[in-house]
Amino acid sequence: MIASADISRAKGPRWNIASWLYISPLVLVLIPFFVVPILVVLVASFLEHDGFGGMIPHFTLVNYASIFTAALTWKLYLSTIKFAVLTWGLTLVIGFWIAYFLVFHVRNQLLAIGLFLLCTVPFWTSNIIRMISWIPLLGKNGLINSALVSTGAIDQPLEFLLFSDFAVVVAYTHQLTIFMIVPIFNAMSRIDKRTLEAARDAGASRFEIMRHIVVPLSRNGIALGSIFVLSIVMGDFFVVKVMSGGGSASVVSALFEDIGVLQYPPAAAASVVLLLVVVIMIALILRTVDVRKEIAR
Amino acid sequence: MSAHPASIARFPKSARRVATYRDENRRPWTFWVLAALFTTYVLALYGPMICIYVLSFQDVRGGLVFPMKGLSLHWFVDLFTQVRTGDVKGGFERSILLAILVTVLTVVGSFMAGLAFRNRFKGDGVVFYLMIGSLVAPGLVLGIGVGLLFQYLGLQASWYTSALGAHLSWTLPFGVLVMFAVMSRFDRAWEEAARDLGATRWQIIRMVVVPILAPGIVAVALFGFTLSYDEFSRTLQTSGPLNTLPLEIWSMTLNVTSPSLYALGTVTTLASFLIIGVCLGAIALMQKRRSNQLGRQQ
């Protein structure tokens, strides 16, 4: 909320009709399809339910009380946050170095753009299909296990490869690394290469150049990528459900079960709590870097 | 890094570094490490997908894993004939139509919002944070909200109303963020020059801003299309009685354990490549025509 505080100051910008005209399509989508639905969920979370999909207009805190007293809630959040952090770390490390490689090591710019596009092509096919594509590789009789067994490295097929937390993290990383590569690549390609040369001439080591130039100047890309990855993992249930084989659950997959039995108010309360958690996470990232100022320079 | 011989160690630190780094044509060891990482990443990215495309061409004995059994189009036929696979064709058509609608609206909306956000105006912070909120809100949560809202208003949820809105609430913020990145490289002096030459506001946009930003606008369009074509959790509660393709695929992953699923993967991949190819081709054609026109004028 730093930016809005700036605006409200006396010397700040004025009401600008042209700007509001330009922004009106965005606002006309956000109000009926984001603001109002979230308010509806907020209201529903305080209602009683009759167990048959109906909601009784009677204020209650039961839905929230049951969320915060259930041991299951903490387990779900712990498991979801574990997946989010693991995926975030992996996609950040892989995405950062791939972007770095493309921007600073590939000297032919056309080749760099070609390789960059090569990384984005799989994004054009369905996420669900991309996830399922790990089955022939990771399965009990999949390629990896058959290869390991036939070379004699192991006697029994490894069970942990598919339908496990491992498989969930693999699938997330497969799907989401691109969300790190694109913004970091974008930020890095704006770094003037002469800065690095100057630093090198002044005697900076590789590590020092990384720490004092490349990382700080890619900060907005890293922040943006982190926002994408964290919010997608926190809001997902499909990957967890399929890739863990039902062995793990996430906050949203539990929420989905509630909707399946038409328990809207408890699901709404869980939604509100989840939304708050995600918003706090994103707000913490936005505190470290003002995305708008950095991008819209 | 390797230890320096004692003789060099006498020189100041900086001089040594200059000596080692000046040889620009030799690739440093980091190049090879990162090249290996990149290759591994690309293999891991494409490998599994190629596996399922190959496996979808098995014959009737085929299973979900290698080795491949026979070669036929059996599972493609199965995909479109069997009742158990549901309404794949209808879902596919609806998803494509929905994605096209979303793409058009996202391009227009995010372009306009991008123009607006170049200047500060009263209330821009509020709109910006609403946009970020809409981007990060879990899809299923938003889907529930839109579903309940339609239920409360007594409206029938359908893919071209509620699902369209739900998709836009996610693709528009995404598009605006891409627009930010694109517009930050736009030099406003070009606009001023056009204004000085007497261009109207509309002419400036049509003849200066849009052509220069065209690559970025294409990027927004491709983002919008793929995000919508693929969107599952925002569609689940909002699509109404008729399913979109991701919902069909979801129900197939729960019910079908045959290479039909892989055949569906192959078909959807081919379809999206075809659509994207056509789009890129059209753009290339437009640019060629434009450069031809310019050539004739000169």
Side-chain angles (χ1 to χ4, degrees):
Chain A
M1 291 291 136
I2 305 159
S4 48
D6 284 346
I7 301 157
S8 55
R9 258 176 232 145
K11 258 182 75 185
R14 309 216 179 113
W15 289 106
N16 185 334
I17 295 169
S19 296
W20 274 94
L21 269 178
Y22 279 131
I23 208 118
S24 57
L26 178 68
V27 176
L28 287 178
V29 168
L30 289 183
I31 288 176
F33 289 104
F34 171 63
V35 179
V36 179
I38 295 299
L39 290 178
V40 169
V41 169
L42 190 66
V43 171
S45 70
F46 291 108
L47 299 182
E48 282 176 15
H49 62 100
D50 59 11
F52 306 101
M55 288 181 281
I56 302 157
H58 185 257
F59 179 85
T60 174
L61 287 171
V62 164
N63 302 312
Y64 285 99
S66 59
I67 288 176
F68 287 112
T69 51
L72 182 70
T73 310
W74 306 105
K75 249 174 78 185
L76 286 174
Y77 271 93
L78 213 64
S79 123
T80 306
I81 287 170
K82 178 186 77 188
F83 286 132
V85 169
L86 280 174
T87 310
W88 175 72
L90 276 170
T91 54
L92 176 61
V93 169
I94 299 172
F96 180 87
W97 287 113
I98 282 180
Y100 181 81
F101 174 73
L102 292 177
V103 173
F104 293 108
H105 275 307
V106 180
R107 287 173 200 165
N108 181 339
Q109 190 156 21
L110 210 63
L111 180 67
I113 291 172
L115 291 177
F116 174 74
L117 287 178
L118 189 71
C119 297
T120 59
V121 167
F123 182 63
W124 294 343
T125 59
S126 166
N127 270 334
I128 302 176
I129 300 294
R130 275 196 284 158
M131 184 184 65
I132 293 164
S133 70
W134 283 100
I135 293 172
L137 254 95
L138 297 179
K140 204 175 164 200
N141 300 311
L143 276 186
I144 292 178
N145 269 328
S146 350
L148 287 176
V149 171
S150 65
T151 54
I154 48 169
D155 305 328
Q156 294 283 316
L158 297 172
E159 296 273 355
F160 77 88
L161 288 179
L162 190 63
F163 303 136
S164 60
D165 288 357
F166 173 79
V168 174
V169 175
V170 167
Y172 275 137
T173 309
H174 190 210
Q175 297 194 346
L176 302 179
T177 304
I178 190 70
F179 285 93
M180 280 290 188
I181 296 179
V182 173
I184 297 179
F185 179 88
N186 189 40
M188 277 182 182
S189 29
R190 275 192 250 169
I191 300 177
D192 191 336
K193 292 204 173 66
R194 286 172 300 185
T195 321
L196 304 202
E197 268 166 45
R200 217 172 283 157
D201 290 347
S205 71
R206 277 205 187 94
F207 178 73
E208 283 163 340
I209 291 177
M210 233 33 210
R211 209 185 122 207
H212 294 297
I213 302 176
V214 179
V215 172
L217 288 178
S218 335
R219 214 174 52 155
N220 47 8
I222 293 172
L224 209 56
S226 307
I227 291 175
F228 291 146
V229 170
L230 286 176
S231 58
I232 292 174
V233 176
M234 292 300 291
D236 174 84
F237 70 104
F238 192 87
V239 173
V240 173
K241 200 173 164 81
V242 175
M243 294 309 277
S244 74
S248 300
S250 73
V251 178
V252 182
S253 70
L255 219 158
F256 178 65
E257 308 287 326
D258 274 347
I259 298 168
V261 290
L262 297 173
Q263 307 253 19
Y264 284 112
S271 299
V272 171
V273 175
L274 174 66
L275 193 66
L276 281 178
V277 171
V278 175
V279 164
I280 289 169
M281 282 171 81
I282 304 305
L284 286 178
I285 298 176
L286 286 176
R287 274 190 83 90
T288 64
V289 45
D290 183 349
V291 174
R292 177 174 172 195
K293 213 166 110 196
E294 297 269 341
I295 298 172
R297 231 173 334 193
Chain B
M1 270 183 261
S2 59
H4 293 286
S7 56
I8 306 177
R10 270 193 316 247
F11 287 100
K13 223 175 154 194
S14 55
R16 245 185 293 144
R17 288 229 177 85
V18 170
T20 33
Y21 278 99
R22 264 297 147 83
D23 187 8
E24 281 292 332
N25 286 321
R26 243 190 82 234
R27 299 283 196 186
W29 61 274
T30 46
F31 171 82
W32 301 106
V33 174
L34 291 179
L37 174 80
F38 182 79
T39 315
T40 318
Y41 174 70
V42 171
L43 283 178
L45 204 57
Y46 284 85
M49 289 159 58
I50 292 171
C51 286
I52 66 162
Y53 304 149
V54 171
L55 285 172
S56 65
F57 289 99
Q58 299 180 99
D59 67 20
V60 70
R61 293 165 296 149
L64 285 177
V65 292
F66 283 103
M68 183 141 168
K69 296 190 180 97
L71 195 70
S72 78
L73 292 176
H74 174 83
W75 299 107
F76 290 91
V77 178
D78 185 75
L79 185 65
F80 289 103
T81 49
Q82 294 261 358
V83 186
R84 60 175 175 155
T85 51
D87 183 16
V88 171
K89 192 171 161 284
F92 182 65
E93 284 166 5
R94 281 187 284 276
S95 273
I96 295 273
L97 271 175
L98 178 60
I100 291 172
L101 266 174
V102 169
T103 305
V104 172
L105 295 172
T106 302
V107 167
V108 175
S110 52
F111 177 69
M112 290 173 70
L115 288 180
F117 274 123
R118 293 191 303 175
N119 303 315
R120 309 237 46 175
F121 55 94
K122 207 158 191 160
D124 62 346
V126 177
V127 179
F128 179 75
Y129 281 101
L130 276 184
M131 194 180 89
I132 297 287
S134 188
L135 186 75
V136 303
L140 193 66
V141 171
L142 194 100
I144 297 168
V146 174
L148 286 177
L149 177 66
F150 270 61
Q151 199 178 312
Y152 176 73
L153 294 175
L155 296 170
Q156 169 74 55
S158 69
W159 61 269
Y160 49 84
T161 54
S162 44
L164 175 67
H167 281 204
L168 282 174
S169 73
W170 148 242
T171 58
L172 255 181
F174 221 104
V176 176
L177 283 186
V178 177
M179 262 351 282
F180 276 180
V182 173
M183 283 184 173
S184 67
R185 295 181 197 183
F186 182 83
D187 189 345
R188 298 192 78 169
W190 298 323
E191 265 175 290
E192 278 159 38
R195 199 171 301 128
D196 290 347
L197 290 171
T200 62
R201 203 174 246 214
W202 171 239
Q203 278 175 321
I204 294 173
I205 289 181
R206 195 169 62 94
M207 298 165 92
V208 178
V209 182
V210 171
I212 292 173
L213 296 183
I217 294 172
V218 173
V220 172
L222 291 177
F223 262 118
F225 187 88
T226 44
L227 290 175
S228 163
Y229 180 64
D230 210 25
E231 182 54 33
F232 171 68
S233 49
R234 277 170 201 264
T235 325
L236 199 60
Q237 299 293 313
T238 56
S239 75
L242 296 168
N243 276 351
T244 61
L245 192 63
L247 301 183
E248 289 292 339
I249 299 178
W250 155 257
S251 66
M252 269 182 89
T253 59
L254 300 180
N255 307 322
V256 183
T257 47
S258 75
S260 278
L261 205 55
Y262 297 164
L264 183 61
T266 309
V267 171
T268 51
T269 305
L270 279 177
S272 44
F273 272 101
L274 205 70
I275 290 159
I276 286 156
V278 167
C279 290
L280 292 177
I283 290 154
L285 203 73
M286 258 156 53
Q287 280 184 335
K288 203 176 157 198
R289 194 174 294 166
R290 192 188 292 151
S291 64
N292 281 348
Q293 264 174 3
L294 280 175
R296 243 177 282 133
Q297 278 165 10
Q298 273 160 7

